[in-house]
Amino acid sequence: MVDTSRDFFNYSYSELVELLERDFGATKFRATQLFEWVYRKGVTDFDQMTNISRELREKLAAFFTFPKARIHDRRVSSDGTRKYLFEVEGGDLVESVMIKQPNRMTLCVSSQVGCAMGCKFCRTGTMGLKRSLSTSEILRQVNGVIEDARNFGDSFQNIVFMGMGEPLHNFDGVTRAVRNLTDRFGYGMSPRKVTVSTVGLVPAIRRLASSDVSVSLAVSLNATTDEVRSKVMPINERFNIEELLAAVKDFPVGPRKKVTMEYVMLGGLNDTEDDMRRLARLMRGLPVKVNLIPYNDNAGLGFNTPARDWVFTWQRYLNSQGLQAFIRWSKGADIAAACGQLATESKKVSRFPVVDQAAA
Ligand code: SAH
Ligand code: SF4
């Protein structure tokens, strides 16, 4: 069994302050320095942390571990998107995707091995849930990609929790990772640039709303009637569209910031003209923008991808109704890296991600 209390990446800043004061007789300032070395400079070798006394460094080195992300496989798409397969504790495999967009890159990370939500159009959903990832395992994906990105001379500007798993079903692991991503002594990212995407776990959305963690929210709506939504997303039997939209309405968004409503277009099932009009009506008065995601058929789950023109028709119509709407065409399709394609078995891979024109 791994001793997670020694794993540096599992500590928040305030927990580290407490630990250093209690067990090492060190001041808060030392925690600040440590966080800066690790998260800002990417240094985990205590010998290099020369602004900390040798004596303290030796004690810290004897205590802390910095588990490395092991890249099991990496594939580069012709469009510049990269898919990483990371080996985490116990040999489990999860995927992260570095998505290439016109002016930036977005890193898509996994929150669980598999997923319990069972959405019918999603490959991860067919795996079932194996387990949730620890904060450290989530941050290791980030560290691992940052390190490898040096080989490509690039970096990411946004992080989205849209890889394998339902982030709000791993509430603690994910919110603690978000804390370190946005902590000013940690990665220092703006909460606007870190997005958690949820299937619609209403109590968890409300819990997030009232917590002190600041993060952008995306919600997978994917249907305009409870009948259709329940067919493809079993979670709708527990929290229906009305309850979900009420939680979205109550979610605190800053000025000029919006919740992203994701809508996977399943040809002939949830993308009729009636759906298009109903979606605009449902969104009225909510602080939202819409991401249209044409179904990615690499999942091979028997749904249809809508025609390109029809997707543009939806976008134009939603725009005409005063709604911001973006289209997320699949990226990295040639390396199985698009939305809904992510599924791994231990020591084997097969998954895909979609790319976002408008994440965060
Ligand atoms: N569990 C979270 C985040 C991971 S899924 C959630 O469901 O929101 C990320 C996005 O991929 C979701 O919006 C989901 O609806 C979408 N998705 C899943 N399968 C897909 C597929 N086959 N084609 C296109 N998008 C898909
Ligand atoms: Fe899980 Fe999201 Fe896939 Fe649904 S769409 S099965 S919630 S990963």
Side-chain angles (χ1 to χ4, degrees):
M1 192 63 200
V2 194
D3 182 359
T4 53
S5 71
R6 289 172 178 263
D7 181 340
F8 187 89
F9 301 119
N10 277 328
Y11 282 83
S12 69
Y13 176 71
S14 57
E15 287 166 349
L16 186 65
V17 169
E18 202 188 306
L19 178 85
L20 290 193
E21 282 175 352
R22 193 190 60 218
D23 293 355
F24 295 86
T27 60
K28 182 176 180 172
F29 182 59
R30 298 296 170 212
T32 307
Q33 288 178 314
L34 263 179
F35 249 50
E36 283 177 347
W37 277 114
V38 174
Y39 291 115
R40 286 298 169 91
K41 299 179 187 143
V43 171
T44 55
D45 173 5
F46 283 101
D47 287 342
Q48 291 182 46
M49 302 184 191
T50 45
N51 56 2
I52 301 175
S53 77
R54 177 178 294 275
E55 194 196 340
L56 179 58
R57 275 189 275 154
E58 277 171 7
K59 280 194 212 153
L60 294 171
F63 181 79
F64 281 115
T65 58
F66 295 92
K68 275 233 174 241
R70 267 191 299 279
I71 299 179
H72 186 83
D73 189 24
R74 180 193 68 199
R75 293 186 195 170
V76 184
S77 161
S78 55
D79 65 27
T81 291
R82 302 196 289 276
K83 183 175 77 167
Y84 294 90
L85 189 64
F86 283 112
E87 185 176 335
V88 289
E89 303 298 343
D92 288 325
L93 298 174
V94 295
E95 293 196 339
S96 315
V97 185
M98 214 19 188
I99 304 163
K100 181 94 172 171
Q101 292 163 285
N103 311 313
R104 61 176 175 203
M105 294 197 88
T106 293
L107 173 60
C108 173
V109 293
S110 292
S111 56
Q112 297 182 312
V113 183
C115 183
M117 301 299 142
C119 303
K120 301 284 191 287
F121 46 81
C122 173
R123 282 230 44 206
T124 313
T126 63
M127 295 172 66
L129 176 66
K130 183 153 186 209
R131 66 178 179 91
S132 282
L133 295 180
S134 67
T135 300
S136 172
E137 289 172 312
I138 294 169
L139 292 175
R140 273 181 249 167
Q141 297 170 60
V142 177
N143 300 344
V145 170
I146 289 177
E147 212 164 274
D148 186 64
R150 295 195 193 111
N151 298 319
F152 296 85
D154 58 24
S155 60
F156 55 82
Q157 289 72 48
N158 297 282
I159 293 192
V160 294
F161 284 81
M162 291 187 190
M164 292 167 64
E166 165 51 37
L168 295 187
H169 191 211
N170 177 12
F171 194 91
D172 288 340
V174 167
T175 52
R176 292 168 64 83
V178 167
R179 229 184 261 283
N180 286 4
L181 291 171
T182 56
D183 195 291
R184 70 192 166 110
F185 301 124
Y187 284 109
M189 291 182 73
S190 158
R192 301 174 68 102
K193 295 188 175 285
V194 182
T195 301
V196 166
S197 173
T198 178
V199 70
L201 296 179
V202 170
I205 294 174
R206 293 196 177 278
R207 185 174 164 205
L208 184 64
S210 59
S211 77
D212 62 351
V213 173
S214 194
V215 69
S216 300
L217 182 71
V219 173
S220 298
L221 181 63
N222 300 347
T224 63
T225 63
D226 282 323
E227 194 195 342
V228 172
R229 194 165 191 267
S230 293
K231 254 190 214 150
V232 292
M233 300 175 73
I235 195 65
N236 196 65
E237 297 285 345
R238 287 185 55 199
F239 311 110
N240 65 19
I241 293 178
E242 192 182 345
E243 291 168 273
L244 178 57
L245 297 184
V248 167
K249 192 167 189 173
D250 292 342
F251 195 80
V253 286
R256 298 192 304 119
K257 181 68 195 152
K258 293 186 158 119
V259 172
T260 303
M261 300 302 289
E262 293 162 285
Y263 200 94
V264 177
M265 293 177 71
L266 305 166
L269 186 64
N270 68 358
D271 74 339
T272 65
E273 200 167 329
D274 282 348
D275 285 308
M276 184 174 81
R277 295 180 197 285
R278 240 183 336 254
L279 179 61
R281 271 202 306 278
L282 284 174
M283 296 298 100
R284 207 161 284 157
L286 296 176
V288 295
K289 62 181 179 185
V290 176
N291 273 1
L292 298 172
I293 313 175
Y295 169 67
N296 188 329
D297 193 35
N298 295 305
L301 297 171
F303 294 91
N304 299 313
T305 304
R308 243 181 126 77
D309 283 357
W310 187 233
V311 181
F312 283 122
T313 301
W314 268 59
Q315 183 183 35
R316 275 196 306 275
Y317 175 77
L318 295 175
N319 287 160
S320 77
Q321 298 302 299
L323 263 173
Q324 263 182 302
F326 302 88
I327 303 171
R328 292 168 47 180
W329 302 107
S330 288
K331 288 282 172 81
D334 54 337
I335 52 164
C339 271
Q341 312 300 306
L342 305 186
T344 63
E345 292 161 43
S346 279
K347 304 286 184 185
K348 274 191 251 153
V349 192
S350 58
R351 164 195 169 171
F352 249 58
V354 166
V355 172
D356 185 358
Q357 287 186 350

